[in-house]
Amino acid sequence: PVSPLCLSYTLDNDVLTTEQRQFYEDNGYLLIKKLVSDEDIERFRKEFVRICKKEVNPLGAMIMKDESLRSQYGQSEKVVNKVQDFQEDKELFRYCTLPEV
């Protein structure tokens, strides 16, 4: 007999296909192209760059950098691999509140 599909991290739903759920189980992430509009993505990207350049400094935000990239990219946003605790930045946090997400 064939064993049933064992999915630990997602629940049955009518949003994701079984293949998408399995990909998430196997890889820990799921890429859904065009989920967020290009306009919003560009606005979030610009705000991310502003935070990286410290043009804005949201209360409590932590910028984490990959120092091994500094020789290649200098001080640009390309060395930043994570902005943590950015909930005080209205524009960037808006991403988290999008109904699509």
Side-chain angles (χ1 to χ4, degrees), residues 42-78:
E42 183 59 19
R43 288 178 62 182
F44 300 139
R45 188 193 68 75
K46 284 180 178 176
E47 188 66 5
F48 173 80
V49 170
R50 290 182 67 219
I51 291 172
C52 292
K53 291 182 175 181
K54 297 189 178 185
E55 293 173 9
V56 293
N57 189 13
L59 184 66
M62 236 167 98
I63 300 171
M64 305 179 107
K65 298 179 180 182
D66 183 340
E67 294 299 327
S68 67
L69 298 174
R70 189 173 298 247
S71 63
Q72 186 176 358
Y73 296 112
Q75 292 292 330
S76 84
E77 71 278 0
K78 292 180 180 180

Side-chain angles (χ1 to χ4, degrees), residues 15-16 20 29-36 95 100-101:
V15 178
L16 300 177
Q20 288 173 315
Y29 72 93
L30 179 63
L31 175 64
I32 302 176
K33 293 182 178 186
K34 300 295 182 183
L35 182 68
V36 177
Y95 173 81
E100 302 92 326
V101 174

Side-chain angles (χ1 to χ4, degrees), residues 3-38:
S3 63
L5 189 61
C6 181
L7 299 171
S8 303
Y9 300 108
T10 62
L11 301 174
D12 286 334
N13 62 73
D14 59 356
V15 178
L16 300 177
T17 67
T18 302
E19 292 78 17
Q20 288 173 315
R21 292 177 65 199
Q22 188 62 58
F23 184 92
Y24 181 80
E25 296 280 330
D26 295 342
N27 299 286
Y29 72 93
L30 179 63
L31 175 64
I32 302 176
K33 293 182 178 186
K34 300 295 182 183
L35 182 68
V36 177
S37 73
D38 291 341

